Amino acid sequence: MSFLDEITPLKEAALQALQAADTLSKLDDVRVQYLGTNGQFTGLLKQMGALAKEERPAAGKAINLAKAELTQTLDRRREELELAAAAPQRATDFTAPGRRRPLGKQHPLTQVTEDIVRSFRKIGFAVADGPEIESERYCFDALNTPADHPARDTQDTFFLDTADRPLLRTHTSSVQIRVMEQSPPPIRIIVPGRVYRRDTADATHNPTFHQIEGLYVDRNVTMADLKGTVEFVFKELLGKEVKLRFRPHYFSYTEPSLEIDFSSPLVRKMGKEWLEIAGCGMVHPTVFENVGYDPEEWSGWAFGFGIERIAMIRYGISDIRLFYENDLRFLNRF
Ligand code: DAH
């Protein structure tokens, strides 16, 4: 039998064996048997050297063609077997009842935050943010709160053990400075964000909570704008019956400074007439100087309030800790 005559029967045998292999490991055995280094097909190739010179091109071509066909079949078989191995053992029963996938919801604090943001967006405020790990400069110094100021009481602040960014921000007011430092007036922003204080958790305190800061800077900005804006937003959030009261207060970064009290049927339901809800005031000239704004040219106001407070009033929640416990019986009610 001539060399060329051996190729086809060997190929046919190999193809049959490949087809017959019904597991991946058997398929691999067949591969080794025919195409491995010591395989029968490889053996055939090695015999080429013994052929007469003029026979070699035809033999080489025949062997290569056969080998290509075998490799192709091998690959296809392997794919088939892999697919079969991955397929489910039982057929899908399309009449079986569906499996319910529970849908998540937004946390009540997120819902309230988004409502507040939506109200402010209506009147042209953009959302800004800043880091929770802050330096003393942004959290205190540039806000006209020097090192010996009582508002910097170390009791209230978490300090970190690193050199350059040493604290967790105690309020979102730090972002006022960051925004003004980076952009020239006019400014119209709100800043929702998480803040940290060294408070022991109880029904109305938690070491982390959330605030919304607001800052408006332009020429000839007045306190009347501030009152109108705050009133608009609180009425949107908590109903038309809302009443606001502004009381003189002190903050180092505003002058004059005010505290906003709030009254509504919801507050009366909680057994109170007025509830303290926000701090605000006209931006202190020193703060403008600290960020390079000319206080003779620009004026502005700022405010800050706690988001949990608003959510508690809105939903009649009496313990702030409920927001952080991730108890589904609580969360599912919103
Ligand atoms: N930063 C104050 C706080 O955490 C709230 C506040 C008061 C923010 C007056 C202001 C402001 O922007 O003008 O209690």
Side-chain angles (χ1 to χ4, degrees), residues 170-173 176 197 211 213-214 251 253-254 258 278-281 302-305:
T170 55
H171 53 187
T172 43
S173 304
Q176 288 188 29
R197 290 188 195 171
Q211 287 188 328
E213 190 81 13
F251 297 103
Y253 29 94
T254 41
L258 305 160
C280 64
F303 63 80
F305 56 83

Side-chain angles (χ1 to χ4, degrees), residues 105-109 111 322-334:
K105 295 192 215 179
Q106 284 186 322
H107 191 279
L109 289 176
Q111 293 182 32
L322 287 166
F323 288 122
Y324 317 112
E325 283 167 358
N326 281 337
D327 184 334
L328 285 177
R329 289 170 301 180
F330 173 76
L331 296 176
N332 276 332
R333 292 174 49 202
F334 302 96

Side-chain angles (χ1 to χ4, degrees), residues 113 117 127-129 169 172 190-194 211-213 307:
T113 306
V117 168
V127 173
D129 72 358
R169 68 180 179 193
T172 43
I190 51 167
V191 185
R194 190 194 294 266
Q211 287 188 328
I212 290 211
E213 190 81 13
I307 296 174

Side-chain angles (χ1 to χ4, degrees), residues 167-233:
L167 56 84
L168 295 176
R169 68 180 179 193
T170 55
H171 53 187
T172 43
S173 304
S174 52
V175 186
Q176 288 188 29
I177 304 298
R178 288 190 171 269
V179 168
M180 287 193 282
E181 244 183 20
Q182 289 202 346
S183 25
I187 302 274
R188 213 183 306 173
I189 52 147
I190 51 167
V191 185
R194 190 194 294 266
V195 300
Y196 302 81
R197 290 188 195 171
R198 289 186 57 180
D199 280 331
T200 306
D202 63 23
T204 53
H205 296 86
N206 198 64
T208 78
F209 62 101
H210 300 80
Q211 287 188 328
I212 290 211
E213 190 81 13
L215 176 67
Y216 181 32
V217 182
D218 206 334
R219 293 189 173 87
N220 308 316
V221 170
T222 71
M223 192 105 90
D225 302 325
L226 168 61
K227 285 184 153 183
T229 303
V230 171
E231 214 162 278
F232 167 77
V233 170

Side-chain angles (χ1 to χ4, degrees), residues 64-245:
N64 281 333
L65 275 175
K67 202 176 169 192
E69 194 180 337
L70 285 183
T71 318
Q72 229 176 38
T73 308
L74 173 71
D75 289 346
R76 203 196 56 234
R77 247 343 251 158
R78 183 182 290 132
E79 228 168 89
E80 282 170 8
L81 291 173
E82 276 171 356
L83 261 180
Q89 296 305 300
R90 273 185 299 144
T92 305
D93 176 1
F94 291 103
T95 66
R99 211 170 292 157
R100 233 172 245 289
R101 286 178 193 276
L103 264 192
K105 295 192 215 179
Q106 284 186 322
H107 191 279
L109 289 176
T110 308
Q111 293 182 32
V112 171
T113 306
E114 291 202 344
D115 286 347
I116 299 172
V117 168
R118 199 173 306 119
S119 291
F120 276 107
R121 281 216 165 110
K122 279 189 195 167
I123 49 176
F125 281 75
V127 173
D129 72 358
E132 292 175 17
I133 299 173
E134 229 353 324
S135 66
E136 291 195 273
R137 168 167 150 64
Y138 290 107
C139 202
F140 297 120
D141 294 325
L143 286 163
N144 197 27
T145 316
D148 57 356
H149 197 282
R152 274 175 80 152
D153 201 328
T154 49
Q155 294 272 307
D156 287 338
T157 309
F158 286 111
F159 286 93
L160 300 179
D161 217 3
T162 53
D164 49 338
R165 318 193 81 195
L167 56 84
L168 295 176
R169 68 180 179 193
T170 55
H171 53 187
T172 43
S173 304
S174 52
V175 186
Q176 288 188 29
I177 304 298
R178 288 190 171 269
V179 168
M180 287 193 282
E181 244 183 20
Q182 289 202 346
S183 25
I187 302 274
R188 213 183 306 173
I189 52 147
I190 51 167
V191 185
R194 190 194 294 266
V195 300
Y196 302 81
R197 290 188 195 171
R198 289 186 57 180
D199 280 331
T200 306
D202 63 23
T204 53
H205 296 86
N206 198 64
T208 78
F209 62 101
H210 300 80
Q211 287 188 328
I212 290 211
E213 190 81 13
L215 176 67
Y216 181 32
V217 182
D218 206 334
R219 293 189 173 87
N220 308 316
V221 170
T222 71
M223 192 105 90
D225 302 325
L226 168 61
K227 285 184 153 183
T229 303
V230 171
E231 214 162 278
F232 167 77
V233 170
F234 279 111
K235 283 195 167 155
E236 283 233 322
L237 260 169
L238 298 165
K240 288 268 173 280
E241 311 86 350
V242 158
K243 273 187 285 178
L244 295 180
R245 182 170 80 174

